[in-house]
C-alpha cells in the first residue's frame, strides 16, 4: 500500500494483482476493502482501467466479465447481462442517463497492478 496526494485528495494505492492475472483485452475482479473492483487490460489501446464491478441496472457483480470496446474515442465496458455500456474513463452510462459507476485510477509497475482509492 502506498499513499499519494492528487489534487488535494489523498489516494491510497492498493496492490490488486499481477498484470498477467488480467486477460488481454478483458477484465478481472478484485476485492479491496470489501469492495469489488473490476480491472480491465485494454491492450488494444495500451491502457488500464478500473471501475465498480457492480452493474447498477440490476445490481449484479458482473462488469469484470463484460466486453470492452470503444464508442468513438470513448473506451467502454458492456454489462454481459443486459448490455448497459459504461465509459471506462468517467463511469457514465452511455446508453441510459440514469446510471453511473465509480471509476478508479490504475497504475502498473513492475508487472503489478495497483488501484487508487480515495
Amino acid at each position: 500500500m502506498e499513499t499519494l496526494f492528487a489534487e488535494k485528495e489523498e489516494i491510497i494505492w492498493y496492490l490488486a494483482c499481477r498484470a498477467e492475472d488480467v486477460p488481454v483485452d478483458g477484465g478481472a475482479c478484485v476485492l479491496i476493502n470489501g469492495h469489488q473492483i473490476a480491472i480491465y487490460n485494454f491492450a488494444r489501446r495500451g491502457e488500464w482501467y478500473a471501475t465498480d464491478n457492480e452493474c447498477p441496472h440490476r445490481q449484479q457483480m458482473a462488469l469484470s466479465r463484460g466486453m470492452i470496446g470503444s464508442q468513438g474515442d470513448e473506451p467502454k465496458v458492456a454489462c454481459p447481462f443486459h448490455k448497459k455500456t459504461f465509459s471506462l474513463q468517467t463511469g457514465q452510462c452511455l446508453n441510459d442517463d440514469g446510471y453511473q459507476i465509480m471509476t478508479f485510477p490504475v497504475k502498473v509497475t513492475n508487472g503489478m497492478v495497483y488501484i487508487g482509492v480515495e
Side-chain angles (χ1 to χ4, degrees), residues 28-39 51-54 60-65 104:
C29 182
V30 297
L31 188 64
I32 296 177
N33 291 341
H35 189 96
Q36 286 191 29
I37 297 176
I39 302 171
T51 69
D52 282 327
N53 191 41
E54 181 181 53
Q60 294 172 300
M61 297 294 187
L63 292 180
S64 63
R65 294 178 280 151
F104 304 90

Side-chain angles (χ1 to χ4, degrees), residues 55 57-60 62 78-85 95:
C55 178
H57 175 239
R58 297 284 176 133
Q59 293 76 48
Q60 294 172 300
C79 178
F81 293 110
H82 300 100
K83 307 303 181 232
K84 296 286 184 196
T85 58
N95 57 353

Side-chain angles (χ1 to χ4, degrees), residues 50-107:
T51 69
D52 282 327
N53 191 41
E54 181 181 53
C55 178
H57 175 239
R58 297 284 176 133
Q59 293 76 48
Q60 294 172 300
M61 297 294 187
L63 292 180
S64 63
R65 294 178 280 151
M67 291 184 59
I68 59 175
S70 297
Q71 185 170 321
D73 288 333
E74 186 78 29
K76 67 178 183 173
V77 62
C79 178
F81 293 110
H82 300 100
K83 307 303 181 232
K84 296 286 184 196
T85 58
F86 299 90
S87 164
L88 292 173
Q89 294 175 326
T90 68
Q92 183 64 45
C93 187
L94 300 174
N95 57 353
D96 188 332
D97 289 340
Y99 299 105
Q100 172 94 27
I101 58 174
M102 290 180 59
T103 60
F104 304 90
V106 180
K107 67 179 180 178

